């Protein structure tokens, strides 16, 4: 048990701790711009690492031993700690062999790769696809399983699998899209970053609430559904804001016609 907890602590402690200026560090270049002096960073980092075990134990209790890689859609990953998709620790979890050396108790899944060639257009298309298929639930006239439909049906495990599958795709494509917007000094970069942060935070909130609902800690199923529905609505609102930035001619709220050539 102590070894498992130590591995989890190291995973979190491996992340860079920097002072934020209000913008979340979605991209590597943004992180560099937001960095504080080395001495201050190391000081804050040392304090956080020293208290991390206590924080984890207080926050998660026995659950602190549970962790999953992002992209793992197994039902036992719903609501548990996810290893961050961060370049600082990607080498430790990129292959089954590396993960086995570092944290053999964590189940390996292949890292989520950028769509296509990993260019802006590919990633914009991916974000739009997620919106149409999993938020709206209707893409190119084809009905798809949306978050809302899974919730109404009452299948919380299916909803959890959808959330676990969507989250890393949004992060991977969102970073590339935001980086391009920043590189071109787009006035919409800040709006896109806020929307992306809100989407990922909303999905994490749904993930956590689902575990509580599955365990019966939110009361009856209807009460849990109503609570989670509010979170889904918040995610959709933020996603609409993002779509207005990256593809303003997409008819938000339905599977409207979208352009083929997306430009920053």
């Amino acid at each position: 048990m102590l070894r498992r907890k130590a591995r989890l602590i190291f995973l979190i402690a491996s992340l860079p701790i920097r002072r934020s200026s209000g913008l979340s560090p979605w991209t590597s270049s943004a992180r560099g711009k937001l960095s504080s002096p080395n001495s201050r960073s190391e000081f804050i980092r040392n304090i956080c690492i020293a208290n991390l075990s206590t924080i984890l134990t207080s926050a998660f209790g026995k659950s602190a031993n549970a962790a999953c890689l992002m992209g793992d859609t197994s039902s036992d990953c719903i609501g548990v700690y996810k290893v961050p998709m961060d370049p600082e620790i990607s080498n430790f979890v990129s292959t089954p062999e590396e993960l086995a050396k570092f944290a053999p108790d964590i189940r390996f899944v292949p890292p989520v790769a950028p769509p296509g060639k990993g260019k802006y257009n590919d990633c914009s298309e991916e974000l739009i696809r997620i919106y149409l298929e999993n938020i709206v639930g209707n893409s190119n006239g084809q009905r798809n399983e949306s978050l809302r439909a899974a919730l109404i049906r009452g299948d919380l495990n299916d909803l959890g699998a959808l959330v676990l599958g969507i989250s890393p795709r949004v992060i991977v494509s969102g970073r590339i899209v935001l980086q391009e917007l920043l590189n071109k000094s787009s006035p919409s970069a800040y709006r896109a970053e806020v929307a992306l942060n809100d989407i990922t935070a909303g999905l994490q909130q749904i993930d956590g609430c689902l575990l509580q609902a599955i365990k019966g800690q939110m009361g009856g199923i209807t009460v849990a559904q109503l609570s989670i529905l509010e979170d889904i609505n918040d995610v959709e609102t933020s996603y609409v804001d993002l779509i207005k930035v990256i593809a303003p001619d997409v008819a938000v709220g339905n599977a409207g016609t979208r352009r083929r050539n997306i430009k920053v």
Side-chain angles (χ1 to χ4, degrees):
M1 181 179 295
L2 291 176
R3 288 183 178 179
R4 292 179 183 176
K5 186 170 292 186
R7 293 187 190 107
L8 179 57
I9 291 170
F10 185 81
L11 280 171
I12 302 175
S14 297
L15 294 173
I17 299 173
R18 295 183 174 91
R19 176 174 52 86
S20 172
S21 64
L23 292 174
S24 297
W26 263 82
T27 63
S28 297
S29 65
R31 285 183 180 151
K33 294 175 183 177
L34 299 179
S35 296
S36 56
N38 290 336
S39 58
R40 180 181 176 86
S41 293
E42 288 300 318
F43 177 74
I44 297 175
R45 180 182 178 83
N46 290 337
I47 292 177
C48 291
I49 291 174
N51 291 281
L52 202 47
S53 179
T54 302
I55 293 171
L56 281 172
T57 302
S58 300
F60 300 109
K62 294 182 180 179
S63 301
N65 295 317
C68 288
L69 296 182
M70 294 202 72
D72 191 337
T73 59
S74 305
S75 59
D76 58 354
C77 288
I78 296 174
V80 306
Y81 175 79
K82 310 298 189 300
V83 178
M85 299 177 68
D86 193 284
E88 299 289 334
I89 59 175
S90 62
N91 290 337
F92 297 110
V93 298
S94 59
T95 66
E97 295 76 19
E98 288 301 319
L99 184 62
K101 295 176 189 175
F102 176 65
D105 298 322
I106 297 179
R107 183 171 49 240
F108 176 81
V109 294
V112 177
K117 296 181 179 179
K119 302 297 184 181
Y120 177 86
N121 278 11
D122 297 318
C123 295
S124 295
E125 291 283 331
E126 172 78 340
L127 291 170
I128 295 168
R129 187 179 304 110
I130 294 170
Y131 171 73
L132 295 178
E133 292 182 355
N134 300 122
I135 305 299
V136 175
N138 191 333
S139 178
N140 297 324
Q142 300 293 320
R143 298 298 299 177
N144 301 95
E145 179 76 316
S146 68
L147 300 179
R148 190 174 284 105
L151 176 67
I152 293 173
R153 197 173 67 250
D155 195 328
L156 302 184
N157 283 306
D158 274 5
L159 176 56
L162 278 174
V163 171
L164 294 175
I166 291 170
S167 296
R169 293 167 61 197
V170 170
I171 292 173
V172 168
S173 292
R175 283 175 174 169
I176 294 172
V177 166
L178 182 58
Q179 183 66 71
E180 186 71 10
L181 293 171
L182 291 170
N183 288 344
K184 296 196 173 184
S185 300
S186 170
S188 300
Y190 177 76
R191 183 179 177 186
E193 183 166 18
V194 170
L196 285 165
N197 284 330
D198 289 345
I199 292 167
T200 54
L203 292 172
Q204 290 170 3
Q205 174 71 14
I206 295 170
D207 183 32
C209 287
L210 280 172
L211 180 60
Q212 291 181 305
I214 291 170
K215 290 183 174 181
Q217 296 174 349
M218 296 182 70
I221 182 64
T222 303
V223 175
Q225 286 173 306
L226 290 173
S227 177
I228 295 171
L229 180 60
E230 291 184 11
D231 295 323
I232 292 176
N233 289 337
D234 289 342
V235 169
E236 181 170 9
T237 298
S238 299
Y239 222 123
V240 167
D241 288 342
L242 176 64
I243 295 297
K244 287 179 179 179
V245 172
I246 65 175
D249 59 347
V250 168
V252 292
N254 57 59
T257 303
R258 58 187 176 86
R259 63 184 174 189
R260 295 293 180 181
N261 298 316
I262 302 173
K263 298 180 180 179
V264 180

